[in-house]
Amino acid sequence: MGKGGEDYGKSEILANKEENGFYYPAWSKDVAHCEEKYQVSRENGLSADEVEKRRQVYGFNELEQHEGVSIFRLILDQFNDTLVRILLVAAVVSFVLALYDGEEGGEKEITAFVEPLVIFLILIVNAVVGVWQENNAEKALDALKEIQSEHATVIREGRKISNLPAKELVPGDIVELRVGDKIPADMRVLNLISSTLRVEQGSLTGESEAVSKTTKPVAEDVDIQGKKCMVFAGTTVVNGNCICLVTEIGMKTEIGKVHSQIHEASQGDDDTPLKKKLNEFGEALTAIIGAICTLVWLINVKYFLSWEFVDGWPTNFKFSFEKCTYYFEIAVALAVAAIPEGLPAVITTCLALGTRKMAAKNALVRKLPSVETLGCTTVICSDKTGTLTTNQMAVSKLVAMGSKGNVIRSFNVQGTSYDPADGEIENWSTRKLDSNLQMIAKIAALCNDADVEKSGHDVSAHYVANGMPTEAALKVLVEKMGLPDDINPTSGSGFDGVLRCSYAWSQIEKRIATLEFDRDRKSMGVIVNSRNNKKSLLVKGAVETLLERSSFVQLQDGSIVELDQTYREGILDSLNDMSSRALRVLGFAYRDDLPEFSTYNGDEDHPAHKLLLDTANYSSIESKLIFAGLVGLRDPPRKEVPQALEDCKTAGIRVIVITGDNKNTAEAICREIGIFEKHEKISSRSLTGRDFMDLSKQDKEAHLNQNGGLLFSRSEPRHKQEIVRLLKDSGEVVAMTGDGVNDAPALKLADIGIAMGIAGTEVAKEASDMVLADDNFSTIVAAVGEGRSIYNNMKAFIRYMISSNMGEVASIFLTAALGIPEGLIPVQLLWVNLVTDGPPATALGFNPPDKDIMKKPPRKSDDSLINPWILFRYLVIGSYVGIATVGIFVIWYTQSSFLGIDLSGDGHSLVTYSQLANWGQCPTWQNFSASPFTAGAEVIKFSDPCDYFKEGKIKATTLSLSVLVAIEMFNSLNALSEDGSLLSMPPWVNPWLLLAMSVSFALHFLILYVPFLAQIFGIVPLSLNEWWLVVAVAFPVILIDEVLKFVGRCTTASGMRSSLSKAKRE
């Protein structure tokens, strides 16, 4: 939102003064005053010299090109992450150690460089992906530029210049606008050339209908929707033509302000809840790694630094650089073990899979982290027009005249779109049109300039209106009414359009003249000629004005009677009823006796044609009318919205409606869809955007913190941004939906911006994180459910990977603490973290969702990934992993058999535990020898017996690595459910996990039994007995976690019982 937004509610005038420097409220001044102020006349326009002078002051009429973040800055930002920085330090240290070891030459050099190179590769891939994602952030601004007009028709020096590049306009230019023109700048309407001018500006203001423009000034403090004498850049003329005066260009226009707001909103993108959690975890991990590395260093300092005490003072210091380097390598191994290197890749994979699931549900995710953010959404701020409603006008009520004893007949009309087959007229069983209904159908079909087309031909095809939405809705009504029995349908006539009934009426009665709508008489009329050459005037317009000019009324049987007080009151009662429900009401009337036009056929030389050239004659022509009926229209709510809102309530998600439409219409829609109850008092929950901005900050926060739904009508872009900002400041996770240009800044600012795919502008789509392919509000609810499921699965694999890493840390710590040879080297740990753990962790993303996932309140954005009980559980599991991996290493060296499994088949020598723990003193031992042993087809021999604890540890290391892999595979089964037993949630509920475990074991077998790979990883093949030992040592991890889960379930159940009993007591 920018600085202006904070004070916007205090005074829009002050905000404009502050932004524009030169402030002139052209909308509140009359035409002559505007021309005088800008020193121009509409007849002559500006001179070439004056244009050049003004360009020096105001510049070109174009939106600014904001300088984006440099690629170098983006690359640096990718390393602004705690886990990444730890990895970077570990990689650098590993590389330095590899260089030191490489001086010795030989085969070890290859192994030493694998680890740092792999870590560097991970960091490079992570940086490339991050830069690619962030480099797309400013596309919303590019899309905004595309909706600007490219050319304009301008009057300069008394001459009309067509196709002047719009960027060359300056304030004071005189511009002519015609139907279909895209408006090139913000302009004051000086003169209407046609009788009426209508502009489609809903994408900027949120209004559901095209707006009629006037030359009359309005109040200075009106909102943007109230500036009826202004037209705005980027909007479109849908009816009429006029002369305008350019008042603002470029960044000073309303669309320019939106451009600035999008840019400012993009500067303040917050981290997603998961990103924040991972950063917190990384910081905690840094502290833990530092503490453990220091502890390991202190435990082993005696091995590379010794001294003697003489007279109480340490002397004769002895330092072994080789052993110091060795224990430093252990510390690096510890860091590698503690960091879940595969976590970023697994998270990205899981989110990508989530986007595919959502795409199948018509939710297209543009930014991967949005998948997770959806899961903790607490508030959905929804636009009304085009989001909760269809943005397609539809007739919902048809009122026709009855017989003498029954004044009014009323029919409810179903349907929410321009599809004629969408709904029908209730109680329309006979489908036989009486004379009165025929007249209504004829007027609706012929006094009409709109058309409806089918866009596309497959299942996803939809119907679109060409022309005024209100008129298109009337033609759809004609199709639902059908044709009278004496009119043949148009089949076989060659007509292949959607509106067959309207086409049939146009063939019977030919339109020969049009009395255009104007704001004074508030009606439109057409003169038609029937096949028997009879002329009729058909009129539609505001009911009150038609009644004033009507003398008669047509009854059900077609008879004509005088419009007396009884009929007038009945019609006005229907009008008031529909108006109270925020329907737009149109009346229908006609006249058969047209003596002036009895011989008129459209010929310009006919005397009657002169009457039509002067719009002042239209009211007298449209007099002595026969009133036929009326209809109520609206932009109807989508059918699925009420249920979707109910699902939101069940899921603990608040829905706030923010719309640019008028208050009465918005309140009626909100009552209908369930934001408010039918008869609820909503004065404290329904405000205009301006009223909200006039509140103090404290009152704004109190208003937004109310329970239940809220409505903000007549909202402008800055109002929407202020609402989103305050909600975020109060700790809410905000999803913002919208489709217009006016929604783009708030979409950018929200935690997750959701744009409409069909009705949405490109600006809104580019500013969003997610696009709804079907413009269906209920798709958002489905996407939230999917987001929650994905988050739960992400928690499962994060806990799995962290618990596995805890086991690795425990293993290295125990190795250092006990003083035994190093069991696992860094490259092996890296392989386990990246490759072996990766498939099961990814497969946990396919865990089926909980059945009650949308019946729980949203999690808080600051909820911990790992609570104290889960941390304790995985400390226990990690401790067992450490004991198992170190234990099997010790068992191989010290035992000939274990649990009845014979380990002496390879012929290796046994040592005592004391010898193993003090292996560094081997050169001082008397008569120590080590026998050669077999490893697959290879025989391991030693020239120096003490090498038995160095090169000879290769079999023990292989057993430790295999136990680590096996335990982590079994541990992935534990992660299927946080507290559920494997008896209630067996492994086959997620077949992908079983497949992933098979892949991981296959990869482990690959490095064991392919000699080249075995050499790189420093391992050897195992015998069948040794594999039995691996399984026997690894399997208990499942039994241990089952016991811990049982304790957790009992504790949770006890807590719930105490909460229930406490609630009952209260």
Side-chain angles (χ1 to χ4, degrees):
M1 185 171 88
K3 295 178 181 177
E6 298 293 336
D7 302 319
Y8 188 68
K10 297 177 183 176
S11 172
E12 184 180 5
I13 296 171
L14 290 176
N16 280 326
K17 283 180 179 175
E18 182 182 312
E19 291 177 9
N20 295 353
F22 166 71
Y23 172 72
Y24 179 71
W27 59 90
S28 66
K29 309 298 181 182
D30 61 38
V31 168
H33 195 282
C34 291
E35 291 185 54
E36 181 184 348
K37 184 68 178 178
Y38 284 90
Q39 300 175 359
V40 68
S41 70
R42 73 186 79 172
E43 293 81 12
N44 297 318
L46 295 173
S47 66
D49 290 341
E50 188 62 30
V51 168
E52 195 56 40
K53 286 178 184 176
R54 297 190 186 197
R55 183 163 297 129
Q56 296 300 319
V57 177
Y58 300 105
F60 284 99
N61 178 32
E62 56 188 0
L63 299 181
E64 285 180 5
Q65 184 75 41
H66 290 290
E67 187 176 341
V69 182
S70 68
I71 292 293
F72 180 69
R73 179 73 255 174
L74 286 175
I75 292 171
L76 287 181
D77 287 346
Q78 305 314 308
F79 294 88
N80 189 25
D81 179 279
T82 309
L83 278 176
V84 170
R85 283 184 294 213
I86 297 173
L87 267 179
L88 188 61
V89 171
V92 170
V93 171
S94 297
F95 192 78
V96 171
L97 292 175
L99 286 174
Y100 171 75
D101 290 341
E103 292 175 2
E104 299 175 5
E107 295 175 342
K108 281 189 178 181
E109 186 176 356
I110 300 172
T111 307
F113 279 103
V114 168
E115 176 194 329
L117 290 177
V118 169
I119 296 178
F120 280 129
L121 183 62
I122 294 168
L123 295 175
I124 290 168
V125 171
N126 181 66
V128 168
V129 171
V131 169
W132 175 75
Q133 285 181 336
E134 292 187 28
N135 212 24
N136 290 329
E138 295 302 309
K139 283 192 175 178
L141 301 180
D142 296 332
L144 196 59
K145 292 169 189 170
E146 290 177 8
I147 74 168
Q148 286 183 286
S149 175
E150 294 182 0
H151 298 93
T153 300
V154 185
I155 298 171
R156 286 182 179 171
E157 298 183 324
R159 292 184 299 108
K160 184 183 291 187
I161 305 173
S162 300
N163 294 322
L164 179 82
K167 67 177 287 186
E168 296 185 12
L169 291 175
V170 295
D173 260 326
I174 303 298
V175 176
E176 181 179 342
L177 293 177
R178 295 180 177 276
V179 175
D181 283 353
K182 190 174 283 186
I183 296 168
D186 286 4
M187 301 188 285
R188 171 69 159 89
V189 180
L190 298 180
N191 179 45
L192 298 184
I193 298 174
S194 60
S195 58
T196 183
L197 174 73
R198 292 183 187 174
V199 176
E200 175 55 63
Q201 59 184 42
S203 64
L204 181 65
T205 64
E207 291 161 295
S208 56
E209 298 179 45
V211 178
S212 293
K213 295 296 182 177
T214 178
T215 59
K216 297 177 181 177
V218 295
E220 185 175 341
D221 62 348
V222 297
D223 53 25
I224 186 172
Q225 293 92 339
K227 296 176 182 177
K228 300 295 186 184
C229 57
M230 296 290 294
V231 291
F232 303 105
T235 61
T236 306
V237 179
V238 295
N239 175 254
N241 58 314
C242 66
I243 300 294
C244 298
L245 167 69
V246 175
T247 58
E248 301 288 1
I249 62 170
M251 295 301 292
K252 303 299 185 184
T253 62
E254 292 296 331
I255 201 171
K257 295 172 188 175
V258 172
H259 181 279
S260 297
Q261 290 158 7
I262 292 175
H263 177 71
E264 288 164 9
S266 68
Q267 303 305 301
D269 285 347
D270 295 329
D271 288 336
T272 66
L274 180 66
K275 173 77 171 173
K276 291 174 183 174
K277 290 290 140 207
L278 290 176
N279 282 341
E280 290 170 11
F281 167 69
E283 289 165 7
L285 191 63
T286 304
I288 293 169
I289 290 173
I292 295 178
C293 285
T294 303
L295 189 59
V296 168
W297 194 267
L298 292 174
I299 289 172
N300 291 286
V301 72
K302 62 184 178 182
Y303 294 113
F304 58 84
L305 180 64
S306 60
W307 58 85
E308 296 176 0
F309 283 95
V310 177
D311 298 329
W313 293 94
T315 57
N316 299 329
F317 287 94
K318 294 180 180 179
F319 176 74
S320 170
F321 183 75
E322 182 181 354
K323 288 188 177 181
C324 175
T325 305
Y326 173 77
Y327 286 108
F328 190 70
E329 285 178 341
I330 288 181
V332 172
L334 190 73
V336 172
I339 303 168
E341 291 90 352
L343 189 57
V346 174
I347 288 175
T348 301
T349 304
C350 183
L351 292 176
L353 292 171
T355 63
R356 292 186 63 184
K357 288 182 184 178
M358 289 186 177
K361 297 179 180 180
N362 291 314
L364 310 177
V365 177
R366 298 182 65 247
K367 298 174 184 175
L368 282 183
S370 307
V371 177
E372 178 270 330
T373 307
L374 270 171
C376 55
T377 298
T378 58
V379 177
I380 297 176
C381 292
S382 176
D383 183 35
K384 178 188 74 70
T385 307
T387 307
L388 297 172
T389 64
T390 63
N391 200 19
Q392 300 181 4
M393 294 299 288
V395 175
S396 63
K397 195 85 169 179
L398 167 61
V399 175
M401 308 313 297
S403 60
K404 290 183 180 180
N406 184 15
V407 177
I408 295 295
R409 292 178 293 159
S410 181
F411 303 92
N412 291 322
V413 184
Q414 300 171 347
T416 58
S417 69
Y418 295 129
D419 180 0
D422 177 18
E424 57 186 22
I425 303 174
E426 295 178 7
N427 303 319
W428 202 260
S429 55
T430 61
R431 289 190 66 84
K432 291 184 177 180
L433 296 181
D434 55 56
S435 298
N436 179 235
L437 291 173
Q438 285 185 43
M439 181 56 67
I440 292 173
K442 182 197 296 186
I443 299 170
L446 300 180
C447 189
N448 198 317
D449 292 322
D451 190 19
V452 173
E453 295 179 346
K454 187 175 183 180
S455 174
H457 300 285
D458 56 8
V459 178
S460 63
H462 58 283
Y463 293 80
V464 295
N466 293 325
M468 296 295 295
T470 301
E471 293 190 335
L474 293 178
K475 285 205 170 179
V476 172
L477 172 67
V478 173
E479 300 306 307
K480 292 177 180 178
M481 294 175 74
L483 292 169
D485 293 338
D486 59 342
I487 297 180
N488 294 323
T490 59
S491 56
S493 67
F495 178 76
D496 60 355
V498 173
L499 306 174
R500 305 181 70 84
C501 295
S502 294
Y503 178 77
W505 281 113
S506 69
Q507 296 305 298
I508 297 168
E509 309 252 354
K510 296 291 186 181
R511 189 162 131 182
I512 58 174
T514 300
L515 285 67
E516 290 180 333
F517 175 91
D518 68 47
R519 60 187 177 278
D520 294 323
R521 73 183 208 284
K522 297 181 181 177
S523 62
M524 170 193 176
V526 295
I527 298 174
V528 296
N529 187 17
S530 65
R531 287 176 177 172
N532 58 11
N533 211 30
K534 179 185 176 183
K535 308 297 188 297
S536 298
L537 172 67
L538 309 179
V539 185
K540 75 171 190 295
V543 175
E544 300 97 324
T545 59
L546 288 190
L547 283 176
E548 289 173 4
R549 302 202 299 272
S550 295
S551 304
F552 307 95
V553 62
Q554 182 194 44
L555 300 184
Q556 181 174 350
D557 59 3
S559 59
I560 309 299
V561 299
E562 186 179 350
L563 179 60
D564 60 17
Q565 192 61 27
T566 302
Y567 285 111
R568 189 178 298 274
E569 288 177 356
I571 293 167
L572 289 174
D573 285 346
S574 295
L575 169 64
N576 292 333
D577 175 60
M578 287 191 276
S579 297
S580 68
R581 289 184 281 152
L583 299 183
R584 183 182 179 189
V585 186
L586 288 177
F588 301 112
Y590 70 101
R591 178 179 173 184
D592 281 334
D593 60 319
L594 296 171
E596 302 95 333
F597 296 93
S598 58
T599 58
Y600 178 66
N601 60 1
D603 188 355
E604 293 183 6
D605 296 328
H606 194 283
H609 190 74
K610 294 180 181 178
L611 293 173
L612 297 174
L613 293 178
D614 187 356
T615 57
N617 296 323
Y618 289 179
S619 293
S620 60
I621 296 172
E622 292 178 354
S623 61
K624 299 179 182 178
L625 298 174
I626 304 167
F627 194 86
L630 59 158
V631 294
L633 305 97
R634 62 175 179 159
D635 176 12
R638 297 178 181 276
K639 296 174 185 176
E640 65 281 349
V641 165
Q643 183 57 51
L645 289 171
E646 192 60 38
D647 292 342
C648 285
K649 288 180 183 177
T650 305
I653 300 169
R654 283 200 300 150
V655 178
I656 297 176
V657 179
I658 310 175
T659 178
D661 218 342
N662 73 70
K663 190 173 184 180
N664 290 338
T665 302
E667 287 180 350
I669 291 292
C670 286
R671 287 187 189 277
E672 184 174 352
I673 62 180
I675 296 287
F676 305 135
E677 299 297 327
K678 294 289 183 185
H679 305 291
E680 179 184 356
K681 292 183 178 179
I682 58 174
S683 57
S684 64
R685 295 170 61 191
S686 173
L687 297 177
T688 65
R690 180 175 292 279
D691 290 340
F692 176 75
M693 297 299 282
D694 285 339
L695 299 175
S696 66
K697 185 176 181 181
Q698 186 176 2
D699 289 341
K700 287 178 186 174
E701 292 171 348
H703 184 79
L704 290 173
N705 288 332
Q706 295 180 79
N707 291 326
L710 298 174
L711 167 65
F712 298 93
S713 50
R714 287 294 185 189
S715 299
E716 298 186 27
R718 282 189 270 192
H719 302 160
K720 296 182 180 185
Q721 284 182 275
E722 177 73 351
I723 292 166
V724 171
R725 187 182 296 263
L726 287 171
L727 286 168
K728 289 178 68 176
D729 288 346
S730 66
E732 304 282 6
V733 178
V734 183
M736 172 76 192
T737 75
D739 61 349
V741 174
N742 61 325
D743 297 319
L747 289 174
K748 196 77 175 172
L749 183 63
D751 292 295
I752 174 164
I754 305 171
M756 303 295 111
I758 298 173
T761 60
E762 285 304 311
V763 182
K765 292 175 189 175
E766 290 294 347
S768 69
D769 304 292
M770 189 173 88
V771 178
L772 301 184
D774 57 356
D775 287 12
N776 190 331
F777 184 82
S778 64
T779 301
I780 301 172
V781 183
V784 169
E786 192 64 46
R788 290 185 177 188
S789 173
I790 288 168
Y791 179 77
N792 287 345
N793 293 342
M794 286 171 68
K795 271 208 312 187
F797 68 64
I798 288 171
R799 288 196 307 267
Y800 159 67
M801 296 190 83
I802 290 173
S803 68
S804 299
N805 284 56
M806 283 181 178
E808 294 167 20
V809 170
S811 171
I812 294 170
F813 182 76
L814 279 174
T815 299
L818 297 175
I820 63 176
E822 179 187 20
L824 296 168
I825 59 176
V827 71
Q828 294 169 348
L829 294 171
L830 200 61
W831 171 263
V832 171
N833 287 353
L834 278 177
V835 183
T836 315
D837 284 356
T842 304
L844 287 170
F846 289 94
N847 280 353
D850 297 338
K851 292 180 181 178
D852 61 347
I853 198 162
M854 286 300 285
K855 294 180 180 177
K856 299 176 180 176
R859 75 179 194 277
K860 295 180 180 178
S861 58
D862 59 352
D863 277 356
S864 176
L865 278 170
I866 302 173
N867 60 38
W869 167 246
I870 296 296
L871 178 62
F872 171 76
R873 263 177 56 185
Y874 286 113
L875 282 173
V876 173
I877 296 295
S879 299
Y880 179 75
V881 174
I883 292 168
T885 51
V886 173
I888 200 168
F889 188 94
V890 173
I891 287 168
W892 185 82
Y893 267 107
T894 62
Q895 305 294 321
S896 60
S897 67
F898 186 75
L899 297 177
I901 300 171
D902 182 19
L903 302 176
S904 61
D906 60 1
H908 72 281
S909 302
L910 299 180
V911 298
T912 65
Y913 175 75
S914 175
Q915 288 177 311
L916 185 64
N918 295 281
W919 65 277
Q921 300 174 15
C922 175
T924 64
W925 296 344
Q926 298 291 327
N927 301 320
F928 177 73
S929 63
S931 305
F933 63 89
T934 59
E938 186 181 358
V939 178
I940 311 296
K941 298 179 181 179
F942 316 101
S943 57
D944 179 356
C946 291
D947 286 343
Y948 185 46
F949 300 105
K950 296 178 182 178
E951 287 82 3
K953 70 179 180 180
I954 191 167
K955 176 70 74 72
T957 295
T958 304
L959 286 168
S960 286
L961 180 63
S962 298
V963 163
L964 182 62
V965 169
I967 284 184
E968 295 191 0
M969 292 307 101
F970 291 140
N971 197 27
S972 68
L973 297 177
N974 292 333
L976 274 171
S977 173
E978 189 170 317
D979 283 317
S981 168
L982 281 172
L983 298 176
S984 62
M985 186 175 255
W988 48 87
V989 300
N990 185 350
W992 292 104
L993 180 58
L994 298 178
L995 178 62
M997 290 172 64
S998 303
V999 169
S1000 291
F1001 272 123
L1003 289 171
H1004 185 61
F1005 291 149
L1006 187 71
I1007 64 169
L1008 274 179
Y1009 296 102
V1010 174
F1012 170 71
L1013 295 176
Q1015 185 180 10
I1016 288 177
F1017 287 95
I1019 53 179
V1020 292
L1022 298 180
S1023 67
L1024 182 61
N1025 268 14
E1026 288 161 349
W1027 273 114
W1028 280 118
L1029 178 64
V1030 168
V1031 173
V1033 172
F1035 187 77
V1037 75
I1038 289 180
L1039 304 178
I1040 293 170
D1041 204 44
E1042 284 292 305
V1043 172
L1044 292 170
K1045 284 181 179 180
F1046 176 75
V1047 173
R1049 289 195 299 273
C1050 292
T1051 305
T1052 303
S1054 174
M1056 289 180 66
R1057 282 195 298 270
S1058 63
S1059 297
L1060 287 171
S1061 60
K1062 183 179 178 181
K1064 287 179 181 178
R1065 287 195 302 271
E1066 291 176 351

